Amino acid sequence: MRANLLFLLLVSLFPSSVSRAQESAGTQPDGLPPVLPGRAAPVEQPATPTESPHAGEKHPRLFWVVPTYGVTDIKSVSPLTPGGKWRLFVKNESDPFTLGWVAFEAAVAQSNDEPSGYGQGAAGYSKRFGAGLADEWSAGFFRTFLFPSVFHQDPRYYRLGAGPFKKRLGHALIRPVLTHKDSGGRAFNWSGLLGGMAASGLANAYYPESDRGAGATFSRIALRIPFSMLQELFNEFGPDLENKMLRKK
């Protein structure tokens, strides 16, 4: 707004300079040099693919900490290739926040002695931290890379960012059930369902004996659903909450 007012002020103060500049420019398009005698008119070069607004999408951290690699505000994004899904998986699981969060969860589990089969002390914490990393990496591998590549589904969350609250709320809550396809449109989220089942089943290989078996596996699968909904709610409304807090400060 200030820049527009300054521009209008300059134009009103120097009308003769502006008119002389327009006369010297002739009818040439903006940004092109004037045509000189004996030379062909310059041709405006088309933008390269890297100059596309979709190519430079940024993923800022919410509250300066939480990464948002798997969230996009762009409504018409290009589909991810299997290589792109692999890179998304690696970025998510190697981020310092992910490792720090797993360490924090292991400390909370240590204080609650869960699972009790891991024991206490440094050895118990190491087992809980290792199991947490295995849970995180296996879930990311199956739900971000493997099954999305097999079923041609997009593992990213498409954030609306604006509109009626109920519409955005429903959009976030339905995401664990419906996801976007690489070809456009939506489909049942087989990637999330089968990915969660595969990760929960794999946990039987390193969880204590008391936390293995079909009952424990399906219990973990059921717990993933509400946590997935909370994650998508955070993806949708997290930036709004951050902006509100910053405005208050």
Side-chain angles (χ1 to χ4, degrees):
M1 186 66 176
R2 293 180 181 178
N4 292 334
L5 292 175
L6 179 60
F7 176 77
L8 293 175
L9 180 61
L10 291 175
V11 170
S12 62
L13 291 177
F14 304 104
S16 59
S17 299
V18 174
S19 61
R20 284 196 299 269
Q22 291 176 342
E23 291 173 359
S24 62
T27 59
Q28 292 298 315
D30 294 340
L32 293 180
V35 179
L36 299 178
R39 295 187 181 181
V43 179
E44 185 177 3
Q45 296 297 326
T48 60
T50 57
E51 295 172 345
S52 169
H54 294 175
E57 184 181 9
K58 296 182 180 180
H59 297 278
R61 293 177 181 270
L62 285 177
F63 303 99
W64 303 283
V65 177
V66 184
T68 58
Y69 305 126
V71 182
T72 177
D73 284 319
I74 299 175
K75 303 303 184 293
S76 56
V77 295
S78 301
L80 287 176
T81 63
K85 294 170 184 177
W86 171 261
R87 287 189 292 272
L88 178 60
F89 156 67
V90 172
K91 288 180 68 175
N92 278 331
E93 306 310 327
S94 62
D95 190 86
F97 173 81
T98 301
L99 302 178
W101 183 256
V102 171
F104 171 76
E105 286 185 322
V108 173
Q110 178 92 347
S111 65
N112 296 328
D113 196 24
E114 296 176 353
S116 58
Y118 283 147
Q120 288 294 315
Y125 179 80
S126 298
K127 293 177 181 178
R128 291 181 174 89
F129 180 70
L133 280 181
D135 286 346
E136 183 69 33
W137 290 345
S138 62
F141 176 80
F142 290 124
R143 302 178 68 180
T144 304
F145 167 65
L146 183 61
F147 286 111
S149 298
V150 172
F151 291 102
H152 303 286
Q153 294 181 337
D154 197 328
R156 296 170 294 183
Y157 176 77
Y158 286 43
R159 181 174 182 265
L160 292 181
F165 172 78
K166 290 184 178 180
K167 180 179 180 180
R168 297 177 64 188
L169 179 65
H171 177 78
L173 293 179
I174 202 64
R175 173 59 175 77
V177 179
L178 294 178
T179 189
H180 287 82
K181 300 185 295 183
D182 290 340
S183 59
R186 291 190 178 188
F188 183 78
N189 191 3
W190 290 108
S191 302
L193 175 63
L194 297 180
M197 293 177 63
S200 299
L202 184 61
N204 290 311
Y206 51 85
Y207 271 25
E209 188 68 29
S210 59
D211 292 273
R212 300 178 185 176
T217 300
F218 282 102
S219 178
R220 291 191 291 269
I221 294 172
L223 284 175
R224 286 183 183 272
I225 297 176
F227 279 107
S228 297
M229 290 182 175
L230 290 175
Q231 177 65 47
E232 306 305 4
L233 285 174
F234 182 76
N235 290 335
E236 180 65 37
F237 296 102
D240 300 329
L241 179 61
E242 181 184 44
N243 292 335
K244 186 176 182 180
M245 293 177 63
L246 292 177
R247 282 198 298 269
K248 286 184 177 181
K249 292 183 179 180

